[in-house]
Amino acid sequence: MPRKKENSLPDFISKPLRHLKPPENLTVSEWAEKYRILDSKSSAIPGKWDNSITPYLVDIMNEFNNVETEEIIFVKPTQVGGTEALHNMLGYVIMQDPSPVMIVYPTDALAESVSENRLQPMLMNSKPLREKFKKAESSRLELQCEGMYISLNGANSPSSLASKPIRFLFLDEVDKYPGATKKEADPIKLAKERTKTFPNRKIFMTSTPTLKTGHIWKAMENADVIKHYKVPCPHCGEYIELMFKQIKWPKEEGMSNADRAEFANYVCQECGGIITDQHKPQMLKYGRWEIIEQKTQFPRKVAYWINTLYSPFVRFGEIAKEYLASKDDPEAFQNFVNSWLAEPWEDTKLKTNADLVLERQTEYEEFEVPDWAVMLTGGVDVQETSLYWTIRAWGPFLTSQNIAHGQALSFREIEQVMNAEYRKRNGETFMVNLCGIDSGDQTDEVYEFCALNSEWAIPVKGVASGYSHFKISTINKASSSAHGMRLLLVDGDKYKDMIASRMAKPNGRGSWMVYKNCDREYAEQVTAEHKVNVKTGGGRVKQVWVKKTSHADNHYLDAEVYAFAAADVLHVRNIHLMLEDENEKVNEVPQVNKQSMDFNNAWLKNIEWF
């Protein structure tokens, strides 16, 4: 017979005292490390939960303890632990603050599967949770715990979402929910209605995004605060946001995509240092969430966004390999954008890609003017730290070719590039006839520069759709040295349409081409946007050009737009008419090289654009 412990209390006293004992003073992340046990059936790292493996989840989980926050939105890729964070919040509620809970999955079948394979094992693996779980009284879609119940529902069964008052609402993979119909309301709205009677309610919503019109992306855009995770560079110490465009891999010919991806590393956007997979754990450990947008002083809805680059389970090489394998397949690339970059996919109507640009290489070397060209125009995209420039040769029927492009650090360099002489193979020399310079950034400096170089430079300003393609206006800023000077207003989307359509033409008459051995960086930038359908406020659909991914650089594309607009100002569309008047043969391109310099000079002399 076991010996009775001294000073022990009888059951009729000890049991009531256990119920009166206050819960531990723990945050969700602290609770998880103390009580959460992962099993080998649902986790690659079974055993006790360790916050140091996925430190970016700590702040998300602890936001659940913020009494001011009503709604937490987590926009995520796959393989970063988002669903496990949801399970930790659920376990915390069961032990620390028992109240009615509802978890909504895309379908009833998925809800049953998660209950059987993940939730019930989680409750049974942890002794404190097991003591709270009433397995005998539970069903697969309703788990009974001490002082509460957990209702598991599918978004495809709206009637089940409208019958239970609940305090804690968890919405998992919301972009896979069915949409609202004429007979039934939006399942998310129906579920949220169940929380109205609880002033201290909490709603956690998570999903991989699909489209910009999807539930999770719209929820993030409507949040009061949006946060991104930033990590310190191991070389310069600056806090950086991990972006896909900074993953670099070898470009040697002869290597397969899989082999190239194996050598992929991350290049710090601040110092250029090489960051490897071995650096990632320490970077994540010292990372922090930073607010990138705050709409109110008293936020109630807080959104978090992260991509696969932060996942401790995925190497940089795996991400590069997935991109290289999917970039030419629209369906596969959509999965990459959604599930790896955690960005919405656009309903693309007009597509371009870097490989298409590189197919447009001609026999002409860099800086060499094609035999058929009759004039050159330039474009400059002005950024805070540098200037991206391009020079394009033009011939009859809008035939064009990029002969040079680059990145300058000052306007002095732009002046040198645009005033340099460029030659044909027969020795004829050309200079840039007109260059459009972006005045949206560093406006005063651009105006002053164009005023000093007015014979070849004109400031450019983008305008909304409405003008045919361009319009000449006047700078009316009295304090500027460029007061009274011409200002070129450009509808960028219309020129991007023309670039994309002519890029699709095979090399020859009317095609948009590039020089021999053109670099891929330029090709990536001039195809960094695609045209998509978007809904306006009135419910109408219109097509606009947007970046394919949020971090994509499109500076060379903007520069090419300005070069095209500059050519339009010089009446480039009428070149073939002038040549016919001069009895030149222009039926085949390239053919126009006879007396092209004389024609160039006569053409520019006869037009009046200022």
Side-chain angles (χ1 to χ4, degrees):
M1 181 174 179
R3 185 176 179 181
K4 189 176 182 180
K5 293 182 181 179
E6 295 183 10
N7 301 322
S8 63
L9 297 172
D11 287 347
F12 71 89
I13 296 178
S14 62
K15 286 184 178 179
L17 286 176
R18 280 202 300 271
H19 289 286
L20 294 173
K21 182 181 178 181
E24 295 179 83
N25 185 21
L26 298 172
T27 63
V28 174
S29 65
E30 291 169 342
W31 176 90
E33 279 204 314
K34 189 170 183 178
Y35 295 112
R36 179 76 194 279
I37 305 296
L38 300 169
D39 60 29
S40 58
K41 187 176 180 180
S42 60
S43 174
I45 310 177
K48 292 192 69 175
W49 177 271
D50 186 353
N51 284 326
S52 67
I53 295 175
T54 53
Y56 47 80
L57 293 177
V58 171
D59 195 66
I60 299 173
M61 292 188 289
N62 290 345
E63 192 66 38
F64 195 80
N65 300 107
N66 188 342
V67 295
E68 302 294 332
T69 301
E70 291 183 357
E71 193 168 326
I72 304 166
I73 300 109
F74 185 24
V75 184
K76 65 178 184 65
T78 55
Q79 303 185 70
V80 293
T83 300
E84 295 303 336
L86 183 156
H87 292 165
N88 288 341
M89 294 175 193
L90 175 63
Y92 175 89
V93 168
I94 294 171
M95 284 188 60
Q96 302 291 109
D97 195 5
S99 294
V101 171
M102 178 184 286
I103 308 178
V104 183
Y105 298 96
T107 64
D108 286 325
L110 181 59
E112 290 186 5
S113 175
V114 173
S115 173
E116 192 76 24
N117 297 301
R118 301 190 70 172
L119 292 182
Q120 293 187 54
M122 179 189 81
L123 298 178
M124 296 301 294
N125 288 337
S126 172
K127 183 180 177 182
L129 288 176
R130 187 166 62 246
E131 292 174 349
K132 300 280 187 180
F133 179 37
K134 299 179 180 180
K135 186 174 178 64
E137 301 175 24
S138 300
S139 64
R140 278 189 293 185
L141 292 180
E142 188 166 279
L143 306 179
Q144 298 292 334
C145 296
E146 196 172 286
M148 61 174 287
Y149 65 86
I150 305 167
S151 177
L152 308 177
N153 302 88
N156 61 329
S157 300
S159 58
S160 66
L161 304 175
S163 59
K164 303 166 185 174
I166 48 110
R167 178 184 169 195
F168 295 110
L169 175 62
F170 297 98
L171 304 164
D172 196 17
E173 289 301 335
V174 296
D175 268 27
K176 295 180 181 178
Y177 289 6
T181 67
K182 292 182 180 179
K183 294 183 179 181
E184 299 287 354
D186 176 13
I188 295 178
K189 290 183 178 179
L190 282 174
K192 287 183 177 181
E193 288 290 323
R194 302 302 95 214
T195 67
K196 276 186 174 180
T197 56
F198 290 91
N200 55 348
R201 66 178 182 171
K202 281 284 190 298
I203 300 170
F204 178 71
M205 179 189 301
T206 184
S207 183
T208 298
T210 53
L211 303 174
K212 278 194 173 183
T213 55
H215 294 297
I216 197 69
W217 202 259
K218 287 171 66 176
M220 184 181 74
E221 289 180 332
N222 292 328
D224 300 324
V225 168
I226 301 176
K227 296 183 178 182
H228 287 194
Y229 200 67
K230 295 188 178 182
V231 292
C233 170
H235 305 292
C236 66
E238 290 291 325
Y239 273 79
I240 58 175
E241 183 175 342
L242 297 183
M243 305 176 181
F244 172 69
K245 69 178 184 178
Q246 296 302 122
I247 297 181
K248 308 295 182 182
W249 53 84
K251 298 180 181 180
E252 285 86 352
E253 294 183 5
M255 293 181 67
S256 68
N257 286 341
D259 290 339
R260 293 165 63 200
E262 287 299 319
F263 293 94
N265 286 306
Y266 191 92
V267 178
C268 174
Q269 54 263 50
E270 295 294 331
C271 69
I274 303 298
I275 299 173
T276 67
D277 294 303
Q278 287 70 35
H279 291 120
K280 194 190 290 187
Q282 282 294 101
M283 295 171 68
L284 293 176
K285 179 179 178 181
Y286 295 104
R288 65 193 184 198
W289 287 97
E290 293 187 4
I291 295 175
I292 64 161
E293 185 177 356
Q294 182 162 350
K295 302 173 185 175
T296 177
Q297 188 178 351
F298 305 103
R300 298 291 182 181
K301 298 180 181 180
V302 181
Y304 297 84
W305 178 90
I306 201 171
N307 61 38
T308 300
L309 275 70
Y310 293 92
S311 174
F313 315 113
V314 182
R315 298 180 295 108
F316 293 135
E318 291 179 74
I319 301 171
K321 184 176 181 180
E322 181 67 19
Y323 167 76
L324 291 170
S326 64
K327 64 185 178 68
D328 296 322
D329 182 341
E331 289 187 8
F333 190 60
Q334 176 179 354
N335 179 70
F336 176 76
V337 171
N338 291 160
S339 300
W340 295 68
L341 301 186
E343 295 182 0
W345 177 255
E346 304 289 358
D347 181 16
T348 306
K349 298 302 175 187
L350 190 55
K351 300 175 185 176
T352 58
N353 60 66
D355 290 337
L356 181 60
V357 173
L358 297 181
E359 289 174 9
R360 296 292 162 259
Q361 295 178 69
T362 68
E363 62 175 356
Y364 296 101
E365 302 287 345
E366 185 179 11
F367 303 115
E368 186 179 10
V369 179
D371 291 342
W372 45 262
V374 297
M375 69 176 179
L376 305 179
T377 63
V380 179
D381 183 52
V382 180
Q383 296 296 304
E384 185 177 352
T385 57
S386 64
L387 308 161
Y388 288 82
W389 59 269
T390 186
I391 297 175
R392 182 158 287 270
W394 296 92
F397 304 104
L398 290 179
T399 306
S400 71
Q401 183 199 299
N402 178 262
I403 67 166
H405 56 260
Q407 187 176 3
L409 298 178
S410 67
F411 280 101
R412 180 181 293 273
E413 290 183 52
I414 296 297
E415 188 174 8
Q416 292 172 349
V417 167
M418 297 301 165
N419 284 287
E421 289 187 344
Y422 302 93
R423 287 181 168 81
K424 288 185 176 181
R425 291 177 178 176
N426 64 7
E428 292 183 34
T429 59
F430 283 72
M431 294 177 64
V432 172
N433 303 117
L434 184 63
C435 176
I437 302 180
D438 170 31
S439 62
D441 196 341
Q442 304 179 42
T443 304
D444 290 338
E445 190 174 355
V446 171
Y447 283 174
E448 183 178 353
F449 178 78
C450 290
L452 294 173
N453 297 275
S454 58
E455 71 277 11
W456 61 268
I458 183 172
V460 176
K461 182 179 180 182
V463 294
S465 181
Y467 300 107
S468 57
H469 279 82
F470 74 92
K471 181 180 180 180
I472 299 294
S473 184
T474 304
I475 298 173
N476 56 12
K477 189 173 183 180
S479 60
S480 173
S481 59
H483 178 68
M485 184 178 169
R486 302 301 185 187
L487 174 66
L488 180 57
L489 304 180
V490 173
D491 186 338
D493 278 12
K494 286 186 171 61
Y495 283 108
K496 290 170 187 176
D497 285 346
M498 295 185 70
I499 290 172
S501 63
R502 291 181 176 276
M503 190 186 296
K505 292 176 178 285
N507 283 10
R509 190 171 85 169
S511 184
W512 187 96
M513 298 173 283
V514 296
Y515 60 79
K516 185 178 180 181
N517 297 322
C518 177
D519 59 286
R520 178 166 281 273
E521 173 67 19
Y522 168 84
E524 294 282 1
Q525 287 203 25
V526 295
T527 57
E529 296 187 14
H530 56 187
K531 197 172 188 181
V532 302
N533 284 341
V534 297
K535 288 186 177 180
T536 64
R540 295 181 179 180
V541 175
K542 68 175 183 178
Q543 296 183 348
V544 297
W545 283 89
V546 297
K547 291 182 179 180
K548 293 177 181 177
T549 60
S550 61
H551 298 307
D553 284 335
N554 60 348
H555 310 307
Y556 284 130
L557 174 59
D558 287 340
E560 287 290 357
V561 166
Y562 306 146
F564 206 144
D568 242 352
V569 170
L570 300 179
H571 306 296
V572 67
R573 302 177 195 230
N574 297 329
I575 286 178
H576 65 286
L577 299 176
M578 173 70 83
L579 287 170
E580 287 176 354
D581 290 342
E582 295 291 325
N583 296 317
E584 295 283 349
K585 296 179 181 180
V586 295
N587 292 326
E588 299 292 334
V589 175
Q591 288 292 330
V592 186
N593 53 17
K594 183 181 179 182
Q595 298 177 337
S596 57
M597 192 62 183
D598 292 339
F599 166 76
N600 177 271
N601 292 333
W603 176 257
L604 295 171
K605 184 177 180 181
N606 290 333
I607 64 172
E608 295 182 2
W609 59 277
F610 271 113

